[in-house]
Amino acid sequence: MITLPDRLPSALDQRSAGRFVLSLLARQRWTLLTGALMGTLWMLSQAALPLLVGRTLDAGVVDRDGSALLMGCLALVALGALTALTGLMRHRLACSNWFQTALRSQQLVGHHIADHGRAVGAETTTGEVVETVATDAPRLADLFEVSARATGALVSYLTVSVLLLRMDLIVGIWVTLGMPVLAATLVLLVRPLQARQKLHRENEGKLTALGADTVAGLRVLRGIGGEHQFLERYNQRSQQVRQAGVLVAGPQAALNAAQVLLPGVFIVVLTWLGAHAALDARLSAGELVTIYGFAAFLRMPLETASEVLSTTVRARVAAHRIIAVLHRTTAAIPAPGSVLHDRESGLTLIPGLLTGLVTASPQDAVTITDRLTSPETLISEAEPRLFSGPLRGEIDPYDRHPDAAVLAALNVADATDILDALPEGLAARVQERGRAFSGGQRQRLVLARAVLADPEVLVLVDPTSAVDAHTEARVAKRLRAARTGRTTLITTASPLLLDLCDRVLFLRDGRVTAEGTHHELLRDPAYRNVVDR
């Protein structure tokens, strides 16, 4: 079983892609080391088979020693069992390493997005985040999965080289020098592949983002008859992805061909050298069989080396993409301790007070709330977002509160009537995006979720814009009572909410120009025009 912590940002180095990979290696060092040990034993046991067969042939068949033949056969059976056992453990540990890497990377991206909220959307599209989680994390995990076989391939290659040097100098030199030359040749083929894979990956992210945006606005598109325009845009973007994929296919095909051709040529030459050594009486019959066996075995380290190269290219691109998302996420986050003050607008939140923010431009309010994002702040957006699942899970996603607390939060949001209309109560199933509820109902359910979370700083963006005046009045009174002594900011132009705020800030042209109670600010004609409207 793989156990991962709830919070990971402090444990993984996010300063660069290389440091990120190294921190993942450190977190999984024991499973990686154990996997490398099993991979080494697995490949060494396979490399030992030709050696054991050759010696058994010389001792049992050429020298006609029956006991040596019997012991050699029993040793082959034992070696086969060892190969099976170490192969099983190697595969199990490889899967564990893959899952740990993929899940840690996905959790890290998920926690950053959850912590930083809407700051992610300023520079990162939905499709890019989806591709990072669904594609880049598994590709990075592939590198950790192949690590056990890579270690085994290196150790077995060195071991076979030493054995062949002892058997025959010419054959040994060919193996010792030939494989590094093959690896260097494959590296030259990998270089052009990396840049093209990066371009292909970027186009995939843009296509996914376009698809997500289209699906999100499908109802509106149908209403205005815009499906054909978006379909044309999607087709164009899809063709760009196809063209980028074709550019990747050339170097990838050359690399795949080289992975078959070059090892094949290497093994043919090795076999030819071994045959001539036997004809010159430099090798016995058993040693010739051993060399043939080594020639067949060496295909595995060669193929593993090729796989490591291609996997490393994909993993490097994936790591850079993951770090790029994390850096764009953290770039919009203020430094610790600045959460209660925004220098650009002059907005200051006094701890423990209910503060109202009034602005003639809703976008100014959104911009400021983006800058207030921090781990201590919860922002409840104006557009209600619900997912499919039980209603209780929508209000209490982490199942940390008793039913009484959930019902109390629903009461604060004046949403108990929604619950009463559902025969199954809190166990009722919410449809995708909460489409079975009205806009006002979704807004109240999201408000209940924010109230139940009880954060240090709660920011509500137009929390009652979709409800009637009577409901709004009840929500205002209950919200004030529920957040007494807690820091709360409400961006709204509703007099019912503003009248119950401890202080109100008036924003003009992105700056706070007036401060006071709602009644005091009504003397300002500009403020009065906004709230009267």
Side-chain angles (χ1 to χ4, degrees):
M1 179 178 291
I2 302 171
T3 303
L4 296 178
D6 292 333
R7 296 286 168 178
L8 296 170
S10 60
L12 296 176
D13 194 333
Q14 304 166 39
R15 288 176 289 178
S16 66
R19 291 176 182 271
F20 176 60
V21 173
L22 289 176
S23 63
L24 283 172
L25 287 170
R27 290 298 300 272
Q28 299 172 210
R29 57 185 178 276
W30 295 117
T31 52
L32 286 168
L33 289 173
T34 308
L37 176 61
M38 291 297 107
T40 300
L41 292 176
W42 177 62
M43 282 207 174
L44 284 178
S45 62
Q46 294 179 77
L49 282 172
L51 181 64
L52 185 58
V53 168
R55 292 188 174 181
T56 301
L57 181 63
D58 281 339
V61 177
V62 176
D63 296 341
R64 298 181 180 276
D65 187 344
S67 60
L69 180 62
L70 177 61
M71 294 301 296
C73 291
L74 292 176
L76 286 172
V77 172
L79 196 58
L82 178 62
T83 302
L85 178 61
T86 53
L88 174 66
M89 294 303 299
R90 178 206 60 79
H91 182 70
R92 180 182 179 87
L93 290 165
C95 291
S96 175
N97 284 319
W98 189 93
F99 280 113
Q100 287 187 71
T101 305
L103 289 174
R104 280 196 169 99
S105 302
Q106 291 167 348
Q107 270 198 339
L108 180 60
V109 173
H111 281 310
H112 268 255
I113 294 169
D115 287 342
H116 304 314
R118 293 161 61 190
V120 181
E123 298 181 22
T124 308
T125 65
T126 303
E128 191 172 359
V129 174
V130 170
E131 281 293 307
T132 299
V133 173
T135 303
D136 292 326
R139 285 180 177 175
L140 178 59
D142 289 341
L143 181 62
F144 286 67
E145 184 273 336
V146 78
S147 63
R149 284 180 289 131
T151 305
L154 177 61
V155 174
S156 61
Y157 154 70
L158 294 175
T159 302
V160 169
S161 297
V162 172
L163 292 173
L164 288 176
L165 283 170
R166 295 182 63 182
M167 288 182 186
D168 186 81
L169 184 62
I170 297 176
V171 173
I173 291 176
W174 172 252
V175 173
T176 304
L177 300 181
M179 287 192 66
V181 172
L182 282 179
T185 304
L186 294 174
V187 168
L188 294 177
L189 294 174
V190 163
R191 287 186 177 276
L193 180 62
Q194 182 174 347
R196 298 188 182 189
Q197 281 189 335
K198 182 178 180 180
L199 177 63
H200 184 241
R201 169 62 185 79
E202 291 175 351
N203 280 282
E204 282 183 331
K206 293 177 181 178
L207 180 65
T208 304
L210 179 60
D213 293 340
T214 303
V215 171
L218 188 59
R219 187 175 300 177
V220 177
L221 289 175
R222 288 178 175 174
I224 63 176
E227 302 100 319
H228 297 294
Q229 288 84 347
F230 270 82
L231 178 61
E232 183 178 352
R233 286 181 59 192
Y234 190 86
N235 285 336
Q236 292 174 353
R237 185 72 70 184
S238 179
Q239 288 303 312
Q240 292 178 2
V241 174
R242 181 188 65 79
Q243 292 168 3
V246 171
L247 292 176
V248 171
Q252 185 66 62
L255 179 61
N256 292 342
Q259 289 173 347
V260 176
L261 176 63
L262 295 179
V265 172
F266 176 81
I267 290 171
V268 166
V269 175
L270 176 61
T271 304
W272 183 83
L273 291 174
H276 275 270
L279 291 176
D280 294 340
R282 299 200 311 269
L283 295 176
S284 66
E287 289 175 332
L288 179 62
V289 170
T290 297
I291 288 180
Y292 286 159
F294 281 157
F297 166 76
L298 285 174
R299 287 189 62 89
M300 187 180 299
L302 284 170
E303 291 173 355
T304 302
S306 302
E307 183 182 356
V308 169
L309 286 173
S310 58
T311 301
T312 302
V313 171
R314 292 194 298 267
R316 183 179 179 183
V317 174
H320 280 287
R321 299 293 298 182
I322 292 172
I323 291 299
V325 170
L326 295 175
H327 281 186
R328 284 197 292 270
T329 300
T330 55
I333 304 305
S338 62
V339 66
L340 298 179
H341 179 68
D342 178 47
R343 293 181 180 180
E344 294 186 32
S345 65
L347 180 146
T348 299
L349 297 182
I350 299 177
L353 295 188
L354 178 63
T355 304
L357 179 64
V358 179
T359 174
S361 172
Q363 184 56 43
D364 287 345
V366 171
T367 302
I368 290 177
T369 55
D370 282 347
R371 292 200 296 264
L372 291 175
T373 302
S374 78
E376 294 81 20
T377 304
L378 173 64
I379 298 179
S380 182
E381 300 179 357
E383 181 182 351
R385 297 182 185 272
L386 295 173
F387 301 93
S388 59
L391 178 60
R392 194 191 193 291
E394 293 299 312
I395 309 301
D396 185 15
Y398 298 103
D399 195 22
R400 295 174 178 172
H401 303 87
D403 287 348
V406 175
L407 294 174
L410 288 169
N411 182 63
V412 171
D414 197 36
T416 53
D417 61 311
I418 304 174
L419 187 64
D420 294 338
L422 300 173
E424 298 177 1
L426 290 174
R429 191 81 179 173
V430 177
Q431 297 183 19
E432 184 182 0
R433 301 178 68 87
R435 60 176 179 265
F437 299 123
S438 67
Q441 288 175 325
R442 291 197 299 270
Q443 194 171 57
R444 285 182 285 158
L445 290 173
V446 170
L447 177 59
R449 180 170 63 195
V451 170
L452 183 64
D454 193 28
E456 288 292 329
V457 181
L458 176 61
V459 178
L460 301 174
V461 182
D462 282 332
T464 58
S465 59
V467 302
D468 59 73
H470 297 288
T471 302
E472 189 174 34
R474 291 191 293 270
V475 169
K477 293 179 181 179
R478 296 172 185 176
L479 181 62
R480 177 176 175 79
R483 293 293 297 177
T484 299
R486 309 288 279 173
T487 307
T488 308
L489 174 67
I490 304 177
T491 67
T492 182
S494 167
L496 292 172
L497 284 172
L498 294 170
D499 187 48
L500 293 175
C501 290
D502 297 310
R503 59 196 287 265
V504 179
L505 305 176
F506 183 44
L507 197 74
R508 297 182 66 180
D509 299 325
R511 295 288 302 176
V512 174
T513 59
E515 176 181 347
T517 65
H518 172 59
H519 290 287
E520 291 171 349
L521 292 181
L522 284 174
R523 301 168 189 162
D524 185 340
Y527 175 84
R528 189 168 58 248
N529 287 337
V530 173
V531 297
D532 284 348
R533 184 180 61 186

